[in-house]
Amino acid sequence: MAAIRPRSTVSAWQPSVPGIAEVFHARFTDHAYPTHVHDTWALMILDGGRVDFALDRERHGVGLRNSVILLPPGVAHDGRTVTEAGFRKRVLYLDTSVLPEGLTGAAVDAPLLLDPALRERVHGLHVALGAPELPAGAVERLEAESRLAFVRERLHRWLAGRAPTAYGAPGAVLAVRLRELLDARVTEGIGLEEASAELGHVHPTHLIRSFKAAYGLPPHAYLTGRRVELARRLLLAGMRPAQAATAAGFYDQAHLTRHFGRHVGTSPARFARSGRV
């Protein structure tokens, strides 16, 4: 009996993260892309199978391993499955605010980046961006922007042929100033670029590294913890979980519940009831 091929599936959405035009997840078993171009960068990782593609009329083949595929804007390419099992991929379409078009030539010369650390960073960014069924506002904006900053840094290292710019040792004073900024914006939150501008246009990755060196966790994790602490106080004061969620800066009750369970070990509703026993 012939093996049953897995069904092809596609999910695509636009996250509320500057620089990311689209997130695209797909499983293809027999699809072949015609030759085409994008006006964005396509940053792809494979989760299974193999893919073959031509970029600027030169063919490349890639399997799982630790490769990251980067296709530049404005350059013709195609893509097709190699085996009957097809392939699974996750793609981020990045605009030129993340990578300038001036790096196109370097990407054409080497579209396959064998870099396990970069692949892990891209995977972490996909996780932070969530799933298509989540409302755009439910994305952990500070986390996603922070992870994108580190992906961008590593891509620049590959394409520009140089190590990341040295910004000096992590700054304790800078970390304190960022913490004060986060404490003042617990409910409304703050984006990474906005925080950078507020603190004197500090490079985003230097800002994140300084904070983590001082406090042992990245800024987005600190902000989430502060929101959970605020939600705890509101719940014990008698506020309903749905109201406490938005009052503490979460998108909705489900968003609060996901983080509350990790931090407190129980649901917001059960936590609230425990104070009335």
Side-chain angles (χ1 to χ4, degrees):
M1 178 182 292
I4 298 176
R5 285 188 175 187
R7 184 171 58 90
S8 293
T9 59
V10 167
S11 297
W13 68 100
Q14 293 179 316
S16 56
V17 178
I20 302 179
E22 180 183 316
V23 184
F24 184 84
H25 293 182
R27 173 198 288 272
F28 289 130
T29 55
D30 56 5
H31 182 62
Y33 286 100
T35 301
H36 63 287
V37 299
H38 297 292
D39 59 2
T40 58
W41 294 83
L43 182 64
M44 179 169 74
I45 56 176
L46 294 180
D47 294 315
R50 297 184 61 83
V51 65
D52 175 270
F53 68 95
L55 177 67
D56 197 29
R57 293 175 291 186
E58 182 174 344
R59 298 219 70 84
H60 303 269
V62 63
L64 269 175
R65 299 192 306 235
N66 292 306
S67 296
V68 175
I69 302 170
L70 181 65
L71 306 178
V75 180
H77 61 277
D78 63 13
R80 64 192 182 195
T81 56
V82 176
T83 67
E84 287 192 3
F87 64 92
R88 290 181 294 117
K89 69 175 183 176
R90 287 177 287 169
V91 186
L92 298 172
Y93 292 99
L94 309 175
D95 66 33
T96 53
S97 69
V98 178
L99 293 174
E101 289 190 58
L103 296 175
T104 293
V108 170
D109 291 340
L112 302 180
L113 310 178
L114 185 56
D115 185 343
L118 174 59
R119 191 192 190 285
E120 186 60 29
R121 289 184 183 185
V122 175
H123 166 72
L125 177 53
H126 275 282
V127 172
L129 291 170
E133 62 270 16
L134 291 176
V139 170
E140 303 289 345
R141 181 173 58 135
L142 183 57
E143 178 180 1
E145 291 180 4
S146 298
R147 291 186 181 277
L148 177 60
F150 282 105
V151 167
R152 176 188 181 186
E153 179 184 77
R154 195 131 186 127
L155 288 172
H156 270 269
R157 179 179 180 179
W158 274 96
L159 298 179
R162 62 174 186 267
T165 304
Y167 299 102
V173 173
L174 182 61
V176 171
R177 292 178 63 200
L178 177 55
R179 181 173 179 171
E180 291 172 347
L181 188 58
L182 294 173
D183 287 344
R185 301 278 294 271
V186 170
T187 55
E188 63 267 43
I190 189 169
L192 185 60
E193 293 297 333
E194 183 182 355
S196 172
E198 288 272 352
L199 299 175
H201 298 282
V202 180
H203 193 276
T205 57
H206 181 56
L207 186 60
I208 298 164
R209 288 188 174 105
S210 295
F211 192 93
K212 189 171 183 179
Y215 299 112
L217 75 172
H220 71 264
Y222 174 81
L223 181 61
T224 296
R226 288 298 316 276
R227 286 173 169 172
V228 169
E229 290 300 309
L230 176 56
R232 291 175 72 144
R233 295 195 296 271
L234 295 174
L235 289 167
L236 291 179
M239 189 174 286
R240 297 175 65 85
Q243 296 171 310
T246 55
F250 294 98
Y251 181 80
D252 57 16
Q253 186 173 342
H255 192 198
L256 167 64
T257 299
R258 177 158 58 91
H259 290 291
F260 202 88
R262 290 177 54 244
H263 282 257
V264 188
T266 188
S267 70
R270 288 176 179 171
F271 180 82
R273 288 196 297 270
S274 72
R276 297 194 287 271
V277 174

